[in-house]
Amino acid sequence: MKKTVLVSGGAGFIGSHVTVELVQAGYDVVIADNFSNCDETNYKGVCAILGREIPLVPMDFCDKAAVYSLFEKYPIDAVIHFAAFKAVGESMTEPLKYYRNNLLSFMNILDAAKHQGGCNVLFSSSATVYGQTDQLPVTEETPRQPAESPYGNTKTMCEDILRDSVKAYAGVRGIALRYFNPIGAHPSALIGELPRGVPNNLVPFLTQTAIGRRECLSVYGNDYPTPDGTCLRDFIDIVDLAKAHVFAVTRMVEGRMKKDYEVFNVGTGRPLSVLELITTFERVNGLKLNWKFAPRRPGDVVAVWADPSLAERELGWKAERPLEDTLRSAWAWEKHLAGLA
Ligand code: UD1
């Protein structure tokens, strides 16, 4: 029988790509989203790619009664939780907004999972939990560091809430996936990253500069102790990242977990500098980008990249899409948004 996966935040950047991969792998998906940080563009793109309507429930996961009734209405075998605020800077000025939303929504899901006698819960965590470590690449055993921001703190706290809930409540099992830097868009260019306002992250700012919506890309810091002086990151293709969720959900629903709470890094294992990313983008898309060096951005770590071997061994997943294709897709998506393609 087909299994049903609830995707909270399924209309967002990562959630929409995960929905596509899940449905293509044979899962039924229910998307629930309150559209607080996105419009319907990606949801429509998902339905266009799949050629059918995917059930969509407009709702807020902070509303406990709404979460309970969702679990009553659908036979949910697994939940993937994306519905959270994610702007690092805003979380510094609005910490309570972040703690309330990101913790409460997740606790409501776990409560409902417990109430129905168990569920498989996948939490979208982040490499931000490692902070700046000198153990590179980072493995899942690398100690977590105190978070630099309330946003980062909510990731660490939700991991702990999941770990403790799994211990206490029969039938609740959990996986936390720690994402490195997800970039790119679906090869169809029908779904992608759609930041509201001025983008904080590198690739959306870069593509908006290339299309002329922003004047100039600032490269934050050229005096870091790295080969070219700019920060090193593990940029992971969004479709590869989405596929990791299919492997993780399948492991859960098929009862193949080794422990009831597991953690996996989702990265490529390859560090790339900010400058290398820019020059590769220019080369593969045949354009010249307007960029300049600017002072370091407070809170940035110098370098972080994954040891993804545990995910390869246990989930059978590894990153496959070449960086060139990822950066072509990021540009195709930006042009699609501008109505140029
Ligand atoms: C941040 C978060 C991470 C989150 C990720 C995706 C922290 C410390 N990091 O990662 O948890 O998962 O966003 O939302 O909380 N850069 C520029 N110019 C720009 C923008 C970025 O040079 O206009 C540089 C940054 O200095 C950094 C690199 O590009 O070195 C990547 O930045 P960004 O895309 O914002 O991601 P992270 O900060 O690595």
Side-chain angles (χ1 to χ4, degrees), residues 86 88 126 128 149 151 180-182 200-202 205 217-220 231 233 235 274 297 299-300:
K86 60 174 187 180
V88 178
S126 164
T128 197
S149 68
Y151 155 78
F180 284 69
N181 288 62
N200 295 307
N201 296 118
L202 176 62
F205 202 106
L217 169 72
S218 294
V219 173
Y220 299 133
C231 293
R233 290 292 182 275
F235 295 100
V274 172
R297 183 171 73 173
D300 273 341

Side-chain angles (χ1 to χ4, degrees), residues 21-340:
E21 296 304 316
L22 283 169
V23 172
Q24 288 178 339
Y27 286 95
D28 278 334
V29 172
V30 178
I31 292 177
D33 205 300
N34 68 356
F35 295 96
S36 67
N37 197 33
C38 63
D39 59 20
E40 291 208 349
T41 307
N42 275 332
Y43 173 70
K44 288 183 181 149
V46 166
C47 298
I49 292 166
L50 296 172
R52 63 186 161 100
E53 290 284 299
I54 301 301
L56 167 68
V57 183
M59 61 165 280
D60 188 336
F61 279 81
C62 289
D63 178 349
K64 189 168 166 182
V67 179
Y68 268 60
S69 55
L70 195 61
F71 273 74
E72 270 154 30
K73 184 163 177 206
Y74 295 98
I76 296 167
D77 298 290
V79 188
I80 308 184
H81 182 51
F82 295 111
F85 294 148
K86 60 174 187 180
V88 178
E90 186 192 41
S91 79
M92 312 286 260
T93 54
E94 296 264 22
L96 294 179
K97 176 176 168 182
Y98 275 67
Y99 287 121
R100 185 174 299 113
N101 183 66
N102 293 6
L103 301 186
L104 191 57
S105 57
F106 193 43
M107 288 193 288
N108 285 341
I109 287 174
L110 289 166
D111 239 326
K114 171 194 154 199
H115 182 72
Q116 71 157 25
C119 195
N120 299 296
V121 180
L122 196 160
F123 175 64
S124 57
S125 190
S126 164
T128 197
V129 302
Y130 295 116
Q132 181 56 76
T133 171
D134 43 19
Q135 294 179 27
L136 287 167
V138 290
T139 73
E140 293 77 0
E141 302 304 317
T142 303
R144 296 179 312 179
Q145 309 260 5
E148 293 267 349
S149 68
Y151 155 78
N153 232 347
T154 65
K155 291 294 177 196
T156 309
M157 291 163 98
C158 284
E159 284 192 357
D160 291 347
I161 290 168
L162 180 57
R163 181 202 61 206
D164 294 345
S165 300
V166 158
K167 255 191 242 156
Y169 306 131
V172 179
R173 286 172 296 273
I175 290 183
L177 295 183
R178 292 180 180 154
Y179 313 146
F180 284 69
N181 288 62
I183 59 164
H186 194 264
S188 65
L190 294 174
I191 54 175
E193 201 165 1
L194 200 55
R196 285 213 164 143
V198 182
N200 295 307
N201 296 118
L202 176 62
V203 169
F205 202 106
L206 185 158
T207 54
Q208 288 193 6
T209 307
I211 206 111
R213 280 183 68 189
R214 312 273 157 215
E215 206 171 306
C216 182
L217 169 72
S218 294
V219 173
Y220 299 133
N222 64 346
D223 56 352
Y224 284 105
T226 59
D228 66 19
T230 64
C231 293
L232 298 173
R233 290 292 182 275
D234 185 333
F235 295 100
I236 169 80
D237 179 81
I238 186 65
V239 176
D240 276 338
L241 180 109
K243 287 182 174 153
H245 295 71
V246 179
F247 285 98
V249 162
T250 304
R251 179 179 175 91
M252 290 200 282
V253 298
E254 290 182 354
R256 288 190 281 105
M257 293 174 75
K258 291 202 171 143
K259 291 176 286 171
D260 284 342
Y261 173 64
E262 296 179 328
V263 178
F264 297 102
N265 284 341
V266 182
T268 66
R270 285 186 311 272
L272 196 81
S273 77
V274 172
L275 268 190
E276 284 173 311
L277 183 118
I278 293 171
T279 51
T280 310
F281 180 88
E282 291 181 322
R283 175 170 58 77
V284 301
N285 292 309
L287 47 82
K288 242 12 243 145
L289 198 75
N290 193 20
W291 66 269
K292 63 170 195 291
F293 285 122
R296 291 181 178 195
R297 183 171 73 173
D300 273 341
V301 300
V302 181
V304 66
W305 68 94
D307 176 342
S309 54
L310 186 68
E312 182 168 359
R313 242 180 6 256
E314 292 296 326
L315 299 179
W317 170 89
K318 68 176 198 300
E320 281 171 349
R321 204 172 174 201
L323 175 70
E324 286 79 3
D325 289 358
T326 305
L327 293 176
R328 279 189 203 105
S329 72
W331 181 225
W333 165 244
E334 190 65 56
K335 285 191 291 186
H336 170 76
L337 285 176
L340 298 177

